[in-house]
Amino acid sequence: MSEIRTYADNRQPLDRNWLHKQWRHLRLWRRFLLQAVVRETHYRAHFATTLLVGLVQLGLGIVPILLLFGFTQEVHGWSRAEVITLVGAYQIITGLMAAFVAPNLQRMTEYIAEGELDGVLLRPVSSQLYLTLRWINVAELSNVASGIAVLVIGLVQSGASPNVPQLLQAFVLAVCGLALLSTVWSAMSFLAFWLQSVNPIGFIYLNLVEAGRYPLVFFPVPVRAFLTFAFPVAFATTYPVQALAGDLGWTPVAGGIALSVVAVTLVRMLWRRGLRSYASASS
Amino acid sequence: MDTVVRNLRVLRRMTAAQIVQQSIYRGAWIIFMAANICVPIISLLIWRTAIANGAQLPIDDRYVTSYFVVLSFVTMATSSWLTGFLANDIRLGKLSSWMVRPASLLLTFVANNVAEKFLKLFALVPMIGVLWWIFRDSMNLPAGPDRWAVFAVSLVLGAILVFTIDILIASLAFWMDDVTALAQARVLIASVLSGAVVPLALMPDWSRGFVDNQPFRYTVSFPVEIVAGGLSGQELLVGLGIQAAYVFVFGILARLVWAVGIRAYSAVGA
């Protein structure tokens, strides 16, 4: 390829090195967060409604569990308290997704079908990161708080007293689960490059993720495989709670990290492919 | 009589137009239906596991299986999404242009509802068919055609009931600025009380009297119960009677609130 002719002055590249680039993106994300907090203070009623709806949903989510354990003491080795811990974990993870990831992926159709992506591509920022994390719904963090409360109640009731390594396992697994669910949802949303409209696909994700309310062993074996590897909600709820209860080794943790690396790489490739097929809607 | 005939003619035309319009989104309907069937399948698997694991439920696994297989069909068939749209039309004044037309705005919503269900049917029935085939050996199904006929009647009554409840809530937009929160609350409460999350047969004994007689049972659970079994001939008749009574009461209420609301309506241009 011959040299690109440019009329601009020679300039230093924006980033001195890889580390600097990551740091710059982190600072940018901090700005997004601050802006979101300021925005939220303008819509206090929205905050109150989100909080209230979140609490009602949490309550209704526990109803089937309470009913189920009204008829039995344990199901496949899970007691009521342990499943309530799991509901807490589910609430935390879905709250985090709804706060940081959902507001972005729900805009994917607009970005791609209406050509808004053009404006993003011109900015000196990783476009995938920008599209996945630009918008933050601060009010959803109230659901994370209520999830933590339920998690603690469940842990106290089940009499679990996790030590530091177990806490670490649970934390790493939950982070992997969060990363895996985000990549799966991203991958589903990036299909917008080829399908034009992906709004309904978000519903599939939101309905499938409901499976995370229950321990993995409550499902038949083929479904368990699906919920571990294809739609890896198991890493977000079942495994962290098992780690807290102390009956999980480091193997699933290593598996979770490996799977996350693979998933992130794959979704990165999908994004690159999609970008190449992007023809811009406005130009 | 003439008005009824004229309205029916308008309805037929509008439904046909809506079907044409909405079939543009046929891909979306398939995905929506695939999403809708996820939660019933999850519940089905969970409750079957509980029974297989020795949980002492008041219902057996045949009932649970038939219940959840039929559930997604019934929730679709009796669903309505008009609250948000109708409230918006009232709030933003779109109702004004309908007041000078020779048909009610509500008629477009009926047409929209019927068209939407007609198209969803094509997407949903094959999916339920697959589910049915997988679980064909562990389902209770009524043998004769009479139960199925009663099921069909109860399904239509359920759909009308949901539709009128939604009109009632949306009509509050004549007086309130925002009914979104109210509509959301109704959806959440109905999801539990209608039996869409957990079969009502599993509700605790102390709640029986209330759960069995509240209106939301007749929007989803009752038609499903007719197919899944467990209802005696007498319970069936009483249930149908209560369902018809609810349709009648909510119909009158909705009609009344709508009529009062139209008079109170004061959007720009009205």
Side-chain angles (χ1 to χ4, degrees), chain A residues 10 58 87 98 128 143 217-218 229-230 266 269 275-276:
Chain A
N10 276 335
L58 179 62
V87 173
Q128 188 188 357
N143 288 325
V217 288
F218 280 28
F229 299 108
L266 282 179
M269 278 162 62
L275 263 193
R276 244 179 289 148

Side-chain angles (χ1 to χ4, degrees), chain A residues 165-272:
Chain A
Q166 286 163 356
L167 282 173
L168 184 68
Q169 283 176 352
F171 180 74
V172 174
L173 280 166
V175 171
C176 289
L178 206 56
L180 283 166
L181 285 180
S182 306
T183 47
V184 169
W185 198 358
S186 300
M188 287 162 94
S189 301
F190 292 164
L191 292 180
F193 280 117
W194 297 276
L195 298 179
Q196 311 311 329
S197 169
V198 289
N199 286 338
I201 289 185
F203 283 96
I204 295 232
Y205 168 82
L206 289 173
N207 280 284
L208 269 181
V209 85
E210 293 275 325
R213 287 179 186 280
Y214 303 95
L216 198 58
V217 288
F218 280 28
F219 294 98
V221 176
V223 181
R224 281 182 219 170
F226 175 77
L227 294 176
T228 309
F229 299 108
F231 191 86
V233 71
F235 285 98
T237 59
T238 303
Y239 288 144
V241 172
Q242 277 186 321
L244 287 177
D247 20 288
L248 207 69
W250 285 98
T251 326
V253 181
I257 295 173
L259 208 56
S260 305
V261 171
V262 172
V264 170
T265 316
L266 282 179
V267 87
R268 188 94 192 118
M269 278 162 62
L270 183 73
W271 169 256
R272 294 243 166 92

Side-chain angles (χ1 to χ4, degrees), chain B residues 185-201:
Chain B
R186 172 215 175 285
V187 168
L188 286 174
I189 294 169
S191 70
V192 169
L193 289 183
S194 68
V197 177
V198 182
L200 294 182

Side-chain angles (χ1 to χ4, degrees), chain A residues 99-111:
Chain A
F100 297 113
V101 184
N104 302 284
L105 296 182
Q106 279 160 354
R107 286 168 209 248
M108 204 54 78
T109 301
E110 275 174 60
Y111 275 129

Side-chain angles (χ1 to χ4, degrees), chain A residues 49 53 56-57 60 63-64 67-68 71-72 74-77 200-201 203-204 207-208 210-211 214-215 217-220 223, chain B residues 28 31-32 34-36 38-39 42 45-47 49-50 53 55-58 181 184 188-189 191-192 197-198 202-204:
Chain A
T49 328
V53 169
V56 174
Q57 263 169 340
L60 293 182
V63 166
L67 286 175
L68 178 62
F71 300 111
T72 179
E74 57 90 34
V75 179
H76 282 303
I201 289 185
F203 283 96
I204 295 232
N207 280 284
L208 269 181
E210 293 275 325
Y214 303 95
V217 288
F218 280 28
F219 294 98
V223 181
Chain B
I31 298 173
F32 272 129
N36 275 356
C38 287
V39 174
I42 293 171
L45 297 175
I46 296 299
W47 287 100
T49 304
N53 203 54
Q56 296 298 317
L57 305 192
Q184 211 165 12
L188 286 174
I189 294 169
S191 70
V192 169
V197 177
V198 182
L202 294 173
M203 291 289 175

Side-chain angles (χ1 to χ4, degrees), chain B residues 73-90:
Chain B
F73 176 74
V74 174
T75 33
M76 186 283 278
T78 63
S79 69
S80 135
W81 58 10
L82 72 91
T83 320
F85 293 110
L86 180 54
N88 261 351
D89 286 357
I90 294 170

Side-chain angles (χ1 to χ4, degrees), chain B residues 85-141:
Chain B
F85 293 110
L86 180 54
N88 261 351
D89 286 357
I90 294 170
R91 192 166 54 88
L92 303 175
K94 199 181 158 197
L95 175 59
S96 306
S97 63
W98 276 92
M99 291 176 82
V100 292
R101 293 184 197 180
S104 168
L105 168 67
L106 295 182
L107 220 52
T108 51
F109 284 100
V110 178
N112 180 281
N113 195 285
V114 173
E116 164 222 327
K117 281 170 188 166
F118 175 75
L119 289 170
K120 280 181 179 174
L121 217 56
F122 289 99
L124 187 61
V125 166
M127 293 180 205
I128 293 186
V130 172
L131 206 57
W132 193 295
W133 184 79
I134 294 174
F135 290 105
R136 64 193 180 285
D137 292 331
S138 45
M139 283 169 57
N140 286 333
L141 290 172

